Amino acid sequence: EAGVTQFPSHSVIEKGQTVTLRCDPISGHDNLYWYRRVMGKEIKFLLHFVKESKQDESGMPNNRFLAERTGGTYSTLKVQPAELEDSGVYFCASSLGYSPLHFGNGTRLTVT
Amino acid sequence: DAKTTQPPSMDCAEGRAANLPCNHSTISGNEYVYWYRQIHSQGPQYIIHGLKNNETNEMASLIITEDRKSSTLILPHATLRDTAVYYCIVRIYTGTASKLTFGTGTRLQVTL
């Protein structure tokens, strides 16, 4: 089966621009998570969808970040406007129920 | 979620068993112990998990002490490709909220 796929793998944007990251979970997985690692820090939880509903968005840093999961399939994470401190690697993960999370290889975002 | 404590780094000779310890002294009865690893710039990879019994799969073995306050991940025959950061995580299942909380992990270096 195909794993979790993320697009793009790399993105370089200027401060103030908008970027949209996409995550396609493993087919049939109802849970979808977003995480990120900023330079030198630990991997941090951002939010959790169950199907199309936001179950936990306690890790979202501020209102410049907007995540959606229309239809309960793929998800997008939009950063608008991007700031320098948003640079890092954004990971998506999915799971079926309480099964282990499976992660994608991430999107490396660089804000200049 | 319960906190975990891991040594920051370990070395292991190729072909030997790698034993990675983890302390989770505040773990509660309904929290599972999960192990993930991150190889270079890839996404975290699921290895194994358990509640109170020892577990084994094709990748590793997980030994959990009887009081559940600590555990050990065992890679029976480490190879150079096992060089990675290994994360010990306790995961609570509370309704539909079951995120993982990553720490700093153990950087395992496998050498010739």
Side-chain angles (χ1 to χ4, degrees):
Chain A
E1 71 180 1
V4 176
T5 57
Q6 294 187 244
F7 182 82
S9 57
H10 294 82
S11 180
V12 180
I13 61 172
E14 293 183 353
K15 176 184 172 183
Q17 290 185 322
T18 298
V19 63
T20 300
L21 314 180
R22 174 170 169 141
C23 169
D24 286 80
I26 293 173
S27 178
H29 280 194
D30 51 351
N31 291 283
L32 188 148
Y33 304 79
W34 283 98
Y35 285 78
R36 76 171 178 178
R37 182 203 291 275
V38 296
M39 181 71 76
K41 300 290 182 64
E42 299 165 14
I43 299 171
K44 292 290 190 185
F45 167 81
L46 295 179
L47 89 159
H48 169 205
F49 284 100
V50 178
K51 296 182 182 178
E52 67 275 8
S53 300
K54 291 177 185 175
Q55 179 66 32
D56 180 357
E57 51 186 328
S58 61
M60 293 289 264
N62 52 60
N63 59 9
R64 294 185 294 103
F65 289 76
L66 175 64
E68 295 180 324
R69 193 183 181 197
T70 306
T73 55
Y74 72 92
S75 175
T76 58
L77 179 64
K78 182 161 71 174
V79 184
Q80 178 182 32
E83 299 289 345
L84 299 178
E85 64 264 24
D86 300 331
S87 294
V89 183
Y90 290 76
F91 294 105
C92 175
S94 72
S95 72
L96 179 62
Y98 290 142
S99 67
L101 277 64
H102 294 273
F103 285 78
N105 282 328
T107 293
R108 181 173 296 277
L109 175 65
T110 302
V111 183
T112 62
Chain B
D1 296 349
K3 296 286 188 183
T4 62
T5 303
Q6 300 177 252
S9 64
M10 293 183 64
D11 292 330
C12 179
E14 189 176 34
R16 305 296 294 269
N19 296 277
L20 291 88
C22 179
N23 286 319
H24 30 78
S25 58
T26 61
I27 195 169
S28 60
N30 58 351
E31 287 185 311
Y32 284 71
V33 180
Y34 273 72
W35 284 83
Y36 279 77
R37 71 181 182 184
Q38 188 174 25
I39 297 174
H40 193 43
S41 58
Q42 298 176 18
Q45 177 189 25
Y46 167 75
I47 301 173
I48 198 167
H49 75 284
L51 181 62
K52 55 182 178 181
N53 296 319
N54 297 337
E55 301 287 344
T56 296
N57 63 21
E58 65 279 3
M59 290 182 68
S61 294
L62 173 60
I63 308 298
I64 303 174
T65 58
E66 191 170 342
D67 63 7
R68 303 211 322 123
K69 292 182 184 300
S70 66
S71 61
T72 301
L73 177 74
I74 301 172
L75 307 178
H77 306 286
T79 71
L80 297 177
R81 288 175 295 179
D82 293 321
T83 293
V85 179
Y86 287 76
Y87 297 96
C88 170
I89 301 166
V90 294
R91 183 188 187 194
I92 190 167
Y93 299 159
T94 55
T96 52
S98 57
K99 64 179 183 277
L100 301 173
T101 301
F102 287 83
T104 55
T106 295
R107 182 172 298 277
L108 176 68
Q109 181 68 52
V110 181
T111 58
L112 291 171

